[in-house]
Amino acid sequence: MSGKPPTLTERRKAATQLDIARAAARLFTEHGAQGTTAEAIAAAAGVAPRTFYRYFRTKEDAVAPLLVVGADSWREHLAATAEGTPLLKAVEDAIRKTISAADAAPEFSWTRGLLRAASGDDSALAAVWHRVNGESETRLRPVLARLAPETDDVTVHLVAAAATDAIRISLEIWAGTDEKAAPVELAVRCFRRLSGGVVSGDRG
């Protein structure tokens, strides 16, 4: 991790964006994409519509900060891996920790509603979901490269893609069910299939 710590203004801005994102996620879950307006999201978040549009272009964009929090948490778990841990084992452990921790957060209950809306009546919401996943994959690569400096660039890209898609696919499948528990083992199983043969014998 590098760079200056965020200023007070930046922290307040991020907090406001996250409040709006939580309100958006709750309303999308309760009313669906078509039944939710930007104005309703602003009212639920306790901000003026002009404040909403200062931060987000569309109602669908408003959920991105909430999704990014999950992606940030995932990379933090991975970055905290003990030195010398085999790369694929490190990724599997981070997947388990991230999804297990998310399961305990109230926001996770909205994930199902968001993903159902994204796969149903709102292609713009689906685009936000896929954009956040793509950005997460890109930011994951340097974390993997630091964990396994001897690993070639192609392998780093492949593992980053496999890890990101494993979490995405497991959550999308889970969202289409009535299963209450988070899809921890499904995500690990998806990762093992997607990464099979990428780094032979590197699961510890």
Side-chain angles (χ1 to χ4, degrees):
M1 302 299 228
S2 61
K4 298 178 181 178
T7 64
L8 178 59
T9 298
E10 290 169 337
R11 291 199 301 274
R12 284 176 174 165
K13 176 180 176 181
T16 299
Q17 289 176 319
L18 194 54
D19 285 343
I20 294 171
R22 289 190 177 108
R26 178 170 57 79
L27 291 177
F28 277 130
T29 297
E30 293 173 357
H31 306 293
Q34 296 302 319
T36 301
T37 65
E39 290 71 23
I41 294 170
V47 301
R50 67 177 180 277
T51 301
F52 177 94
Y53 285 113
R54 185 185 310 149
Y55 294 129
F56 305 108
R57 290 185 306 107
T58 68
K59 62 183 182 182
E60 291 85 3
D61 282 336
V63 301
L66 193 62
L67 298 174
V68 168
V69 165
D72 289 346
S73 172
W74 145 243
R75 288 191 302 276
E76 287 168 8
H77 279 302
L78 192 57
T81 300
E83 187 177 345
T85 304
L87 183 59
L88 297 188
K89 183 180 187 306
V91 172
E92 286 187 14
D93 290 348
I95 287 173
R96 282 196 173 92
K97 289 177 182 176
T98 301
I99 298 182
S100 296
D103 195 17
E107 291 87 353
F108 191 69
S109 64
W110 299 326
T111 302
R112 176 176 272 124
L114 284 176
L115 293 182
R116 284 180 174 177
S119 66
D121 61 351
D122 198 321
S123 59
L125 187 58
V128 172
W129 169 242
H130 288 288
R131 186 188 78 219
V132 169
N133 276 277
E135 291 170 352
S136 178
E137 180 182 327
T138 298
R139 291 172 183 164
L140 181 59
R141 292 172 195 156
V143 177
L144 295 174
R146 286 195 297 272
L147 281 176
E150 74 289 350
T151 303
D152 65 274
D153 195 47
V154 171
T155 298
V156 166
H157 277 64
L158 289 171
V159 174
T164 304
D165 281 346
I167 294 175
R168 177 184 61 79
I169 291 167
S170 66
L171 289 174
E172 289 172 354
I173 292 173
W174 167 81
T177 73
D178 293 322
E179 177 65 42
K180 288 184 169 55
V184 180
E185 295 307 319
L186 176 58
V188 171
R189 191 160 78 247
C190 287
F191 176 67
R192 288 182 175 179
R193 290 190 182 184
L194 289 168
S195 64
V198 174
V199 187
S200 180
D202 194 32
R203 295 188 192 272

